[in-house]
């Protein structure tokens, strides 16, 4: 529940500071569907960060623009492409948010995901007419073409 979450976040900040660590709070990744619950937890994290003067990386907001079906196998988890994109985003956010860590983190190029319907990406179990994955739908691939050898 939300009150327990807030209390735990504040306790984590206290415990980190007690051992000489600098806490950094990070909101969770947004899910790639309309989730009316997760936003409340992101807001609770923002409030705890503000109340305790802790650096905050608002991944919930920053990652919204990468909310594309091609970055994960479902609406919550990331695939290899999604991990690379969000990893680069996080590296830049840590670099910019925590000055003491900035010199130790190289700037990362954050790229937009390749759309699942692009000509260069083949996604199993998806067709251009449907954005939902269905186990019975066959993977769509371009028909093979014969190439004629060119002789000089």
């Amino acid at each position: 529940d939300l009150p327990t979450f807030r209390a735990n976040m504040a306790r984590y900040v206290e415990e980190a500071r007690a051992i000489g660590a600098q806490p950094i709070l990070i909101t969770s990744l947004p899910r790639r569907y309309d989730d009316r619950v997760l936003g409340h937890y992101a807001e609770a994290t923002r409030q705890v960060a503000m109340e305790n003067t802790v650096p905050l990386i608002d991944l919930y907001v920053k990652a919204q623009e990468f909310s594309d079906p091609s970055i994960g196998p479902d609406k919550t988890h990331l695939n290899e492409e999604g991990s690379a994109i969000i990893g680069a985003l996080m590296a830049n956010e840590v670099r910019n948010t925590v000055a003491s860590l900035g010199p130790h983190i190289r700037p990362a190029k954050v790229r937009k995901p390749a759309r699942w319907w692009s000509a260069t990406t083949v996604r199993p179990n998806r067709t251009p007419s449907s954005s939902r994955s269905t186990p019975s739908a066959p993977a769509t691939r371009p028909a093979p073409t014969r190439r004629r050898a060119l002789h000089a």
Side-chain angles (χ1 to χ4, degrees):
D1 70 47
L2 204 51
T4 303
F5 176 81
R6 275 183 59 91
N8 285 338
M9 293 300 282
R11 183 174 49 97
Y12 298 151
V13 168
E14 290 172 21
E15 289 175 359
R17 286 182 170 156
I19 62 168
Q22 179 187 359
I24 304 166
L25 294 181
I26 304 170
T27 59
S28 63
L29 269 174
R31 292 190 176 126
R32 290 175 298 283
Y33 63 91
D34 187 21
D35 180 355
R36 299 181 193 280
V37 175
L38 201 54
H40 296 295
Y41 286 88
E43 182 57 33
T45 304
R46 289 182 204 105
Q47 291 171 358
V48 171
M50 189 171 28
E51 291 165 3
N52 292 281
T53 319
V54 175
L56 173 75
I57 296 174
D58 199 342
L59 195 57
Y60 188 82
V61 169
K62 302 263 184 202
Q64 293 279 341
E65 67 182 283
F66 303 103
S67 199
D68 185 273
S70 69
I71 69 169
D74 56 28
K75 296 180 184 213
T76 301
H77 303 96
L78 298 173
N79 58 18
E80 187 175 341
E81 179 183 26
S83 295
I85 292 167
I86 300 302
L89 175 67
M90 276 301 301
N92 288 339
E93 289 301 313
V94 170
R95 187 172 190 277
N96 295 330
T97 303
V98 185
S100 62
L101 295 177
H104 306 286
I105 301 172
R106 283 184 277 175
K109 181 176 167 111
V110 179
R111 61 182 174 75
K112 293 285 187 179
R115 298 286 180 181
W116 67 267
W117 59 83
S118 75
T120 60
T121 307
V122 175
R123 300 281 182 230
N125 301 327
R126 295 202 176 165
T127 61
S129 62
S130 170
S131 63
R132 295 190 179 212
S133 178
T134 55
S136 60
T140 57
R141 297 183 189 269
T145 57
R146 294 196 114 164
R147 294 184 186 224
R148 206 183 295 186
L150 297 175
H151 299 284

